[in-house]
């Protein structure tokens, strides 16, 4: 294979900046001219090889004996080539979690995650998502306009995860704000510090007052996680459940509102939500480029030398859209790499898809006549090499009434219920069939569902999406 980039393809293509954020597909197309792998720069001074071919991606993801996930192999970081203040370091440095480990250590840490997630019943999770969606929609439905990113897709996972992890309200906002900053690569070190400090506070609270939630269950798991492992395992779960989740919801809504294959059916009774999610997971996966691996020794892949310790970044987005794939039918096709593959396949695919499906279905059921207020090509995208994330999703629609509420202000009976099981809490039914009904939260619950206050007038809202979310939480 010719290792010299063809004309028009730079020696190292930048995966940061406004050009890449605006049209990553064009960048992937240029890089493919070099073959299934190509040299890139993730940030100034951070060199890597991007894997753009589907078969090449599977080869890397399924060959842990050759390609390690442990960043302690990263040669440029060890010798000081990578700047100490690089914005991508918080997303790439070694931490004692399942994301950055191999072999037995990875198996132990991943086992704690999969066992803990298995205690959450799908019916309970669906109830959390539906009630959270209704509460958010009630805030903007009477107004006739909304930013579906800042007022819905970003906040809904936060509401759900606050319940799942037993987070006090302020902790949830800080956790997701920290994760968002790390993905964007803007003040990433500060964002990482915010994330870790908040998780330390959360763990201290749960040590003092354990409860039937994911945080407490991780603490009591037989894997006997150290405090450091616990903190970084929570960071992985928060990262996987909030940032990618909001992107999946927002990108799915964008497709449904703009693509004529779907948009014509929004109010037709049968909503093509699952089809739209399949399409998004193929063409605009919420995490575009992140499955970083490091060759354990010098190898050659299809004529291209890959040096030991040089980061290989698997482009899930580019691999999914590889022209070499013969099956271009995405509906019902789950062979995409949006959840990665191999030993590091995402363990929470079912929950993630369930939350996204509920979020989209509930919104389209309540407000079927939405329209984008700007052309789809003018929607802004957030910077950063790792994700595919909208910065805003403005829509307009005929004002709709809020759902009638019970006296406690929540939809229906207004209560979040926990599934029954021998272990209490969310139950042991996994994400299969489960029962919604169970013991209601006690009025003495140390972390009850937050009280939802009315939105402030439009002119008074902060401009930042996360500032809006924080202000909303505090009723400002």
């Amino acid at each position: 294979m010719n290792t010299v980039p063809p004309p028009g393809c730079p020696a190292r293509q930048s995966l940061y900046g406004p050009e890449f954020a605006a049209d990553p597909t064009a960048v992937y197309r240029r890089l493919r001219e070099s073959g299934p792998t190509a040299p890139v720069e993730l940030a100034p001074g951070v060199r890597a090889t991007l894997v753009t071919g589907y078969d090449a991606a599977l080869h890397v993801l399924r060959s842990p004996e050759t390609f390690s996930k442990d960043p302690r192999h990263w040669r440029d970081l060890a010798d000081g080539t990578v700047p100490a203040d690089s914005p991508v370091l918080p997303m790439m440095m070694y931490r004692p979690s399942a994301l950055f480990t191999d072999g037995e250590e990875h198996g132990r840490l991943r086992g704690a995650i999969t066992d803990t997630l298995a205690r959450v019943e799908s019916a309970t999770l669906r109830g959390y998502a539906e009630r959270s969606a209704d509460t958010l929609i009630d805030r903007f439905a009477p107004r006739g306009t909304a930013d579906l990113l800042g007022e819905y897709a970003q906040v809904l996972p936060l509401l759900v995860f606050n319940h799942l992890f037993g987070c006090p309200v302020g902790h949830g906002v800080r956790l997701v704000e920290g994760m968002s900053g790390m993905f964007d690569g803007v003040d990433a070190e500060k964002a990482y510090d915010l994330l870790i400090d908040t998780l330390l506070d959360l763990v201290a609270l749960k040590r003092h007052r354990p409860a039937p939630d994911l945080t407490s269950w991780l603490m009591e798991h037989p894997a006997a996680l150290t405090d450091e492992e616990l903190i970084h395992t929570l960071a992985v779960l928060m990262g996987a459940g909030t940032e990618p989740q909001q992107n999946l919801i927002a990108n799915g809504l964008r497709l449904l509102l703009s693509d004529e294959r779907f948009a014509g059916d929004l109010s037709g009774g049968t909503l093509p939500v699952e089809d739209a999610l399949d399409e998004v997971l193929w063409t605009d996966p919420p995490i575009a480029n992140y499955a970083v691996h490091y060759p354990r020794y010098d190898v050659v892949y299809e004529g291209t030398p890959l040096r030991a310790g040089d980061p290989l970044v698997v482009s899930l987005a580019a691999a999914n859209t590889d022209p070499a794939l013969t099956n271009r039918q995405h509906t019902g096709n789950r062979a995409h790499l949006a959840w990665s593959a191999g030993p590091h396949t995402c363990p929470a695919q079912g929950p993630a898809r369930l939350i996204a499906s509920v979020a989209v279905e509930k919104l389209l059921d309540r407000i079927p006549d939405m329209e984008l207020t700007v052309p789809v090509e003018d929607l802004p995208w957030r910077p950063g090499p790792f994700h595919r994330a909208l910065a805003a999703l403005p829509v307009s629609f005929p004002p709709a009434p809020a759902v009638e509420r019970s006296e406690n202000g929540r939809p229906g009976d207004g209560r979040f219920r926990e599934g029954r099981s021998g272990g209490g809490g969310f139950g042991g039914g996994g994400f299969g069939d489960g029962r919604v009904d169970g013991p209601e939260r006690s009025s003495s619950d140390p972390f009850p569902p937050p009280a939802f206050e009315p939105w402030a007038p439009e002119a008074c809202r902060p401009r930042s999406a996360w500032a809006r979310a924080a202000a909303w939480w505090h009723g400002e």
Side-chain angles (χ1 to χ4, degrees):
M1 185 182 80
N2 181 15
T3 59
V4 178
C9 186
R12 287 197 178 271
Q13 169 70 54
S14 298
L15 295 192
Y16 56 92
E19 178 191 358
F20 178 71
D23 192 4
T25 301
V27 174
Y28 302 146
R29 188 164 51 247
R30 290 199 300 270
L31 290 174
R32 287 195 191 98
E33 297 176 21
S34 296
T37 63
V40 296
E41 192 173 57
L42 302 177
V46 182
R47 301 174 300 183
T49 297
L50 193 71
V51 181
T52 60
Y54 185 87
D55 289 342
L58 280 178
H59 176 69
V60 172
L61 295 170
R62 292 176 174 174
S63 303
E65 69 283 355
T66 304
F67 303 104
S68 170
K69 286 283 290 177
D70 192 335
R72 289 174 293 188
H73 292 283
W74 190 359
R75 182 170 50 190
D76 282 357
L77 182 62
D79 67 15
T81 299
V82 173
D85 60 351
S86 173
V88 298
L89 281 188
M91 291 289 291
M92 295 180 65
M93 288 179 62
Y94 170 77
R95 310 234 166 54
S97 75
L99 188 61
F100 299 114
T101 51
D102 303 306
E104 292 183 4
E105 184 182 10
H106 170 256
R108 180 178 68 87
L109 295 170
R110 183 183 173 93
I113 291 173
T114 55
D115 291 347
T116 299
L117 289 175
R119 296 181 69 172
V120 183
E121 291 183 350
S122 59
T124 302
L125 183 63
R126 177 178 290 277
Y128 283 177
E130 288 179 344
R131 290 164 174 80
S132 298
D134 271 325
T135 300
L136 294 172
I137 295 167
D138 281 344
R139 299 299 170 226
F140 56 76
R143 199 170 68 230
T145 62
D147 172 9
L148 294 183
L149 184 78
E151 297 180 68
Y152 192 68
Q154 283 183 330
V155 188
L156 192 147
L158 174 59
L159 285 172
V160 174
F161 270 68
N162 268 8
H163 288 291
L164 291 178
F165 286 88
C167 289
V169 170
H171 285 60
V173 174
R174 288 159 54 196
L175 286 169
V176 184
E177 184 176 359
M179 191 60 65
S180 178
M182 289 169 58
F183 271 96
D184 284 352
V186 178
D187 291 330
E189 186 174 355
K190 180 180 178 181
Y192 172 72
D193 290 342
L194 174 64
L195 176 71
I196 296 302
D197 288 347
T198 307
L199 287 173
L200 285 168
D201 287 346
L202 177 62
V203 168
L205 283 171
K206 293 302 174 181
R207 293 281 187 213
H208 180 60
R209 291 185 291 180
D213 54 48
L214 292 177
T215 306
S216 301
W217 292 340
L218 277 171
M219 289 178 175
E220 66 187 40
H221 191 272
L225 303 183
T226 66
D227 281 355
E228 186 180 17
E229 289 171 341
L230 178 61
I231 291 295
H232 293 294
T233 296
L234 287 169
V236 168
L237 285 169
M238 286 288 182
T242 52
E243 174 70 29
Q245 189 73 64
Q246 74 182 39
N247 296 340
L248 180 56
I249 295 169
N251 292 352
L253 289 170
R254 167 182 170 267
L255 180 68
L256 284 162
L257 290 167
S258 63
D259 192 310
E260 61 182 11
R261 291 174 299 163
F262 302 101
D265 295 327
L266 291 185
S267 58
T270 302
L271 302 177
V273 170
E274 291 299 326
D275 291 354
L277 290 180
D278 284 337
E279 183 77 13
V280 166
L281 290 168
W282 274 101
T283 61
D284 261 330
I287 299 300
N289 311 296
Y290 187 54
V292 186
H293 289 70
Y294 304 86
R296 297 177 184 272
Y297 45 84
D298 291 349
V299 297
V300 176
Y301 183 81
E302 293 198 5
T304 299
L306 305 173
R307 296 198 306 164
D310 283 358
L312 273 174
V313 179
V314 176
S315 178
L316 308 174
N320 281 351
T321 55
D322 185 349
L325 291 175
T326 56
N327 185 359
R328 310 306 299 168
Q329 175 62 43
H330 295 159
T331 302
N333 185 343
R334 306 288 170 86
H336 57 74
L337 300 181
W339 311 117
S340 191
H344 285 268
T345 302
C346 175
Q349 300 175 38
R353 187 157 183 136
L354 187 153
I355 294 171
S357 296
V358 168
V360 176
E361 288 171 352
K362 178 66 74 169
L363 182 64
L364 298 182
D365 180 58
R366 293 276 310 272
I367 309 177
D369 297 323
M370 290 181 294
E371 294 183 353
L372 291 172
T373 58
V374 299
V376 63
E377 60 270 16
D378 292 341
L379 289 172
W381 295 89
R382 287 162 53 197
F386 303 119
H387 57 189
R388 181 62 170 158
L390 285 165
L393 188 59
V395 296
S396 61
F397 47 86
V403 171
E404 184 178 350
R405 302 281 163 165
S406 60
E407 63 181 11
N408 61 16
R410 293 182 177 81
D413 68 0
R415 298 182 184 274
F416 290 86
R417 299 177 182 271
E418 297 174 346
R420 287 194 179 98
S421 74
F426 299 121
F431 286 94
D433 294 332
R435 288 176 291 176
V436 177
D437 291 333
E440 296 179 357
R441 283 185 179 271
S442 166
S443 60
S444 61
D445 186 343
F447 304 126
F452 298 108
E453 301 296 337
W455 282 94
E458 181 75 33
C460 299
R461 289 191 203 136
R463 296 181 64 185
S464 161
W466 282 114
R468 285 204 306 272
W472 172 74
W473 274 114
H474 298 292
E476 299 170 1

